[in-house]
Amino acid sequence: MLKIVVCVSGGGTNLQAILDAVEQGRITNGEIIAVISNNPRAKALERAAARGIPGIVVSPKSYPDREAFNEAFTAKVCGLAPDLVVLAGFLVRIPPQMVAEFSDRIVNIHPSLIPSFCGVGYYGLKVHEKVLERGVKVTGATVHFVNEGMDEGPIIAQKAVYVEEGDTPEVLQRRVMEQAEWVLLPKAIDDIANGRIAVVDDKVVSR
Ligand code: GAR
């Protein structure tokens, strides 16, 4: 049974999709052992509590500087000894020491088709604002392993979603979540938990 820690920052709809998938048997061979949030007010923590899953807050605001936070955050995750760490709307950069410790064992969901609309400054609603500003007709979501770069690790899965006339960032965000994120992330976790994918030469392959 794969032990999974989910990191969150806000609403937690992706966490909810994972919790539902576990409950409904769409993720097998995996259990969520804890949810970690940088934000004590994250609704995601309520979603975890509703399923009896421990919620842990590690906020950068509680530490004198980023290095102290990085060490505390990494120590907290390592103490839980997970097999997989899932970033489900976690808007804090993962400490380099943690990326090294969990090579090919951290996955992230990003609300665009990487390598478009990703990297520094592209997170949450901002991604959809930029998509609409640029006027692209197709966007989507990507699940990928996390490496030391920003949104640069090996891509596990992607799904395209059409932009529609009259979309606001909020409307587009919701469509990308419904059609792509909430489908892709649970499926990727199930694939990992059941040994169906591997990283070879920095690319994800089926096995
Ligand atoms: C999601 O759209 C997720 O893809 C995005 O934040 C949102 C969190 O929503 N993540 C990023 O932008 C990471 N760069 P949620 O809290 O409802 O799951």
Side-chain angles (χ1 to χ4, degrees), residues 137-169:
K137 305 300 183 200
V138 179
T139 181
T142 303
V143 189
H144 64 94
F145 284 109
V146 172
N147 66 8
E148 53 292 334
M150 188 81 160
D151 300 329
E152 285 177 5
I155 290 171
I156 300 169
Q158 295 185 297
K159 191 161 187 290
V161 174
Y162 285 113
V163 178
E164 291 177 13
E165 234 156 83
D167 272 351
T168 62

Side-chain angles (χ1 to χ4, degrees), residues 8-15 44 47 88-91 108-111 122-125 127-128 151 173 177 181-182:
V8 296
S9 295
T13 64
N14 278 286
L15 169 67
R47 297 179 190 270
F90 188 59
L91 305 183
N108 179 46
I109 179 90
H110 183 79
Y122 287 86
Y123 58 90
L125 205 58
V127 176
H128 307 291
D151 300 329
Q173 178 182 53
M177 284 174 159
E181 296 186 45
W182 302 340

Side-chain angles (χ1 to χ4, degrees), residues 56-99:
I56 299 163
V57 176
V58 186
S59 167
K61 291 186 184 137
S62 308
Y63 299 90
D65 55 32
R66 184 51 61 155
E67 194 43 51
F69 166 77
N70 280 352
E71 273 171 29
F73 181 78
T74 304
K76 184 56 82 178
V77 175
C78 287
L80 294 164
D83 302 304
L84 182 71
V85 177
V86 176
L87 311 182
F90 188 59
L91 305 183
V92 174
R93 189 153 190 176
I94 293 298
Q97 57 265 51
M98 191 175 138
V99 175

